[in-house]
Amino acid sequence: MCTRFVYHGNDMITGFNFDIDLSVWKHKVIMDEERFYIGILRPDGTYHSYHGVNKNGNVGTLLYVHGNPGGEYQASPDCMTIADLTEEFIKGQITFDDALQLVRYKKITYAPDATMQALLSDIHGRVLIIEPGLGYLEEHKKYSLITNYSLIDPESTKNYIVPGDDRYERALQLLDCCGNDFSVSNAYTLLHAVCQEGAWATRVSFVYSAKEQAVYYVENNRFEHITKYVFP
């Protein structure tokens, strides 16, 4: 589970709820001069940056989605995994335009062991939603939003919607009521409204302000304890 949005008002603000089962994945919040990210421990022993912010304004996040056969992993030079593409974007190794070229000319697949879709955004508020096997959406709107179901082909994931899971609808309603003064505080109000409990609880929530060049984050739904990280 996860929720991600981008809001383009007087400030370009993006928010993310990272919902994960601790029995399945190990993670930690990592900060350096170039990146703020939620590191995911992989079999190679590295905490990979699949969800995070680069100081250049690139923000990338992966969100679980029920897989489709068209997105299955293929070990081919004509293919690239959604995980590798997202991490390269967060690391600043590719730009938004580079990512756009990749999704146009390469087949984007799932990683070998996880079915994920992605939302990438840059400092100008441009958004790229990538759904392996289904395609991509390029947006530059007032706001963009994604959870764990397909936006390109909603019918393909409709049968997998968890009963009572209306995060997308509730977040959409909140975003639709906001004006140009949408703030970090507004972003946290939204993330708090759709945070999760239980096995797949919200472990990290972060909000990035392009104007401030800062990330605000909380862990384990402790929304009363927000920490601010400003890129040097």
Side-chain angles (χ1 to χ4, degrees):
M1 313 297 280
C2 287
T3 302
R4 167 79 191 280
F5 68 87
V6 176
Y7 197 94
H8 197 194
N10 296 328
D11 193 357
M12 199 291 291
I13 290 180
T14 187
F16 180 58
N17 269 353
F18 174 70
D19 309 336
I20 202 166
D21 186 341
L22 298 181
S23 69
V24 179
W25 303 98
K26 186 174 182 181
H27 74 282
K28 64 179 177 180
V29 174
I30 300 172
M31 289 157 279
D32 59 34
E33 290 187 356
E34 301 290 327
R35 288 174 295 164
F36 167 96
Y37 63 99
I38 303 166
I40 304 294
L41 183 63
R42 301 295 283 141
D44 62 4
T46 300
Y47 280 90
H48 284 269
S49 52
Y50 301 138
H51 318 80
V53 184
N54 190 286
K55 71 175 185 179
N56 67 10
N58 287 359
V59 184
T61 49
L62 292 176
L63 304 93
Y64 172 78
V65 68
H66 191 276
N68 69 84
E72 287 182 357
Y73 173 75
Q74 298 176 41
S76 165
D78 297 323
C79 299
M80 183 177 194
T81 70
I82 190 71
D84 287 344
L85 191 157
T86 301
E87 184 164 36
E88 288 184 14
F89 186 72
I90 294 168
K91 285 182 173 181
Q93 295 172 344
I94 61 173
T95 65
F96 187 92
D97 291 320
D98 292 333
L100 196 53
Q101 288 295 101
L102 285 167
V103 298
R104 285 173 176 165
Y105 298 109
K106 276 188 177 284
K107 181 178 174 64
I108 308 303
T109 72
Y110 301 125
D113 60 348
T115 55
M116 299 285 188
Q117 55 191 10
L119 191 155
L120 312 182
S121 62
D122 71 1
I123 199 161
H124 306 294
R126 294 187 295 172
V127 165
L128 184 60
I129 294 167
I130 310 165
E131 300 186 13
L134 297 177
Y136 66 92
L137 296 172
E138 183 186 2
E139 298 182 344
H140 195 189
K141 306 189 302 185
K142 193 71 173 177
Y143 58 81
S144 296
L145 171 70
I146 194 170
T147 57
N148 303 101
Y149 312 108
S150 174
L151 296 178
I152 295 172
D153 182 10
E155 287 295 314
S156 68
T157 53
K158 185 176 72 172
N159 292 337
Y160 304 103
I161 296 176
V162 177
D165 183 6
D166 61 350
R167 287 171 298 134
Y168 184 86
E169 291 75 17
R170 285 187 288 135
L172 196 65
Q173 186 175 33
L174 289 168
L175 289 169
D176 200 42
C177 295
C178 296
N180 285 334
D181 58 349
F182 187 84
S183 65
V184 170
S185 178
N186 295 136
Y188 263 109
T189 296
L190 189 156
L191 293 179
H192 196 183
V194 297
C195 69
Q196 301 294 290
E197 301 287 352
W200 286 84
T202 302
R203 311 298 177 179
V204 183
S205 300
F206 73 70
V207 174
Y208 168 67
S209 162
K211 185 178 288 186
E212 295 183 37
Q213 286 288 285
V215 179
Y216 296 77
Y217 71 98
V218 302
E219 296 186 71
N220 301 312
N221 285 330
R222 299 191 185 102
F223 286 92
E224 68 279 13
H225 299 297
I226 298 175
T227 301
K228 182 179 180 180
Y229 175 71
V230 180
F231 286 105

